[in-house]
Amino acid sequence: MENFTESSQNEADNFSDQEVEEVVSPKHIRLEASTHCQLKCPTCETATGELYKHVALGFLRFDNFKRLLDENPQVEEIELSNFGEIFLNPQLPKIIEYAHEKGVGLSARNGANLNTVREATLEALVKFGFRHIRCSLDGASQGTYEQYRVRGNFSQVIQNIEKINAYKRQYNTEFPYLTWQFVVFGHNEHEIGMAREMAQSLGMEFETKLNWDETWSPVKDEEMVRREMAAGVASRSEFKEKFGASYTEYICDQLWDSPQLNFDGTVWGCCRNNWKAFDGNVFEDGLVGALNSKQMQYARKMLTEGAEPRPDVPCTTCSVYKNMRKADRYLDREKVLARRKVFLDQNSE
């Protein structure tokens, strides 16, 4: 159990009648800065509008962000990216600056497209020590990149990365760390090597990632893709067959180590859930209170103890959970805690 502030402990006390075994009061949270996105990626529910049937469209407001940090000094790091593009949030420079004042690290590890970024934001990223940006660049040329990142401008993204690097030299800092994330498709697999070289020249880490929809531009040279992937597989279905687990099963850990919240304070539990919010709102019920609702507590029991699924719990209809239940193989609590420790250690620098 994490260290509590007086206010967070009071919130936890309010839940004593729920027979809570573990009160989650994380040092790390996920808070969507923007559910808007300017691109039209073919298989993305943000682009098709399907996301907004359940998830609100909007931006994280600075006043809500400030209050959240002021009331929860135990929070040390916040992931701001998820379904939308964080750099469209007009108040992002103020958010970055205030987090720096409070000693809270910010990141966009889930992904950003970096097509549209104001100059003030680019400087704020460096000046105020934004931790990490994972940039979605699925190609090494405009013609290849725009096949999936529809409306995207490859050269503009590269220019924005170069500007960040220029500010890093000006301020003599290594932050933010930059990662080039390359989702592998059939139409771009031939540019993996070129993209890796470009990433190296820009001082970026390079990562390949499996496409979630195997029917859209499926990979062609499976052997080559297997060599490029750390897991040695060419598709998510092959990953499941090889390892007996879903490619994204690690996401379930977020219910403990880094719970997902939307910009409006609603609780979504993990970055994959976009179909049903959990009970509670962090801006109304407090962070600890909202993260330890009866639903959240029960969801954790479903994932670790095999508790019977309930229709009101979002995890019940998740394919990752369904795979767990079908195999009668749930999260090992000790392994979850071990992964949580690794996560905290990796992000405490």
Side-chain angles (χ1 to χ4, degrees):
M1 187 181 300
E2 308 292 355
N3 293 329
F4 287 171
T5 61
E6 182 177 354
S7 60
S8 63
Q9 182 64 65
N10 289 338
E11 291 171 20
D13 290 342
N14 293 333
F15 288 81
S16 58
D17 62 340
Q18 297 180 14
E19 298 182 359
V20 171
E21 295 182 5
E22 177 190 13
V23 175
V24 171
S25 177
K27 296 179 181 180
H28 299 247
I29 60 174
R30 310 174 71 88
L31 177 61
E32 180 93 83
S34 165
T35 51
H36 289 268
C37 186
Q38 75 278 52
L39 303 189
K40 292 293 181 182
C41 306
T43 66
C44 177
E45 292 187 338
T46 305
T48 63
E50 285 295 309
L51 178 78
Y52 308 120
K53 292 181 179 179
H54 308 288
V55 180
L57 174 65
F59 299 117
L60 173 64
R61 288 167 37 190
F62 173 73
D63 58 341
N64 283 334
F65 180 78
K66 181 179 184 299
R67 187 169 77 253
L68 182 68
L69 265 58
D70 291 346
E71 295 177 354
N72 295 279
Q74 79 275 14
V75 173
E76 296 178 356
E77 182 155 348
I78 301 177
E79 167 64 40
L80 291 178
S81 64
N82 196 26
F83 294 119
E85 172 64 5
I86 74 167
F87 294 113
L88 298 181
N89 186 322
Q91 293 189 313
L92 190 59
K94 289 178 64 178
I95 289 170
I96 295 172
E97 182 174 4
Y98 193 71
H100 177 72
E101 290 178 12
K102 301 291 286 187
V104 175
L106 301 181
S107 61
R109 293 184 177 89
N110 200 62
N113 66 59
L114 270 175
N115 273 265
T116 308
V117 192
R118 290 181 292 179
E119 193 71 30
T121 303
L122 290 170
E123 183 171 10
L125 289 168
V126 178
K127 182 177 180 180
F128 300 116
F130 199 91
R131 294 289 182 82
H132 190 174
I133 302 171
R134 180 170 278 108
C135 184
S136 303
L137 272 170
D138 317 313
S141 65
Q142 177 64 24
T144 299
Y145 169 73
E146 68 182 353
Q147 289 187 52
Y148 186 71
R149 304 292 168 179
V150 178
R151 296 185 180 178
N153 186 320
F154 182 80
S155 61
Q156 183 61 60
V157 177
I158 298 300
Q159 287 179 32
N160 286 332
I161 292 170
E162 290 173 338
K163 288 180 179 179
I164 291 173
N165 285 336
Y167 279 120
K168 286 166 74 171
R169 290 190 293 271
Q170 177 182 330
Y171 285 96
N172 191 27
T173 178
E174 58 187 349
F175 295 116
Y177 295 124
L178 299 173
T179 298
W180 182 313
Q181 178 179 268
F182 192 108
V183 179
V184 181
F185 299 99
H187 69 267
N188 69 5
E189 60 187 29
H190 65 287
E191 289 190 351
I192 293 177
M194 188 187 310
R196 180 182 288 106
E197 291 178 1
M198 293 180 69
Q200 184 176 3
S201 69
L202 291 165
M204 304 175 72
E205 293 294 322
F206 183 80
E207 295 178 355
T208 51
K209 183 178 180 180
L210 295 172
N211 176 20
W212 75 272
D213 183 354
E214 297 173 26
T215 66
W216 197 91
S217 189
V219 298
K220 301 171 185 176
D221 189 342
E222 294 183 352
E223 283 303 317
M224 182 273 289
V225 173
R226 290 187 185 104
R227 291 194 298 271
E228 293 290 346
M229 300 301 303
V233 296
S235 67
R236 297 193 181 199
S237 58
E238 188 177 336
F239 182 97
K240 182 180 176 183
E241 182 178 350
K242 180 177 180 179
F243 297 103
S246 298
Y247 184 63
T248 55
E249 187 174 294
Y250 66 92
I251 288 174
C252 299
D253 293 359
Q254 292 174 5
L255 269 69
W256 288 267
D257 62 39
S258 188
Q260 180 70 54
L261 314 168
N262 198 19
F263 71 89
D264 57 0
T266 50
V267 179
W268 294 83
C270 74
C271 65
R272 192 174 189 274
N273 177 19
N274 62 6
W275 53 89
K276 178 180 174 61
F278 285 87
D279 291 337
N281 185 298
V282 298
F283 299 139
E284 299 170 4
D285 308 314
L287 180 64
V288 174
L291 294 182
N292 291 280
S293 67
K294 290 182 179 180
Q295 275 186 324
M296 285 288 281
Q297 290 286 347
Y298 195 82
R300 295 179 187 121
K301 290 180 180 294
M302 285 170 55
L303 294 171
T304 57
E305 301 175 17
E308 287 297 309
R310 290 189 341 204
D312 66 310
V313 177
C315 304
T316 296
T317 55
C318 176
S319 62
V320 175
Y321 168 73
K322 287 180 178 179
N323 288 333
M324 279 187 198
R325 183 167 173 78
K326 183 178 180 180
D328 193 27
R329 180 191 51 77
Y330 299 96
L331 296 181
D332 184 307
R333 185 62 183 142
E334 291 186 2
K335 291 181 180 179
V336 169
L337 289 170
R339 286 199 294 268
R340 184 181 185 186
K341 183 179 186 302
V342 170
F343 176 87
L344 295 173
D345 290 345
Q346 289 176 343
N347 294 284
S348 63
E349 297 176 356

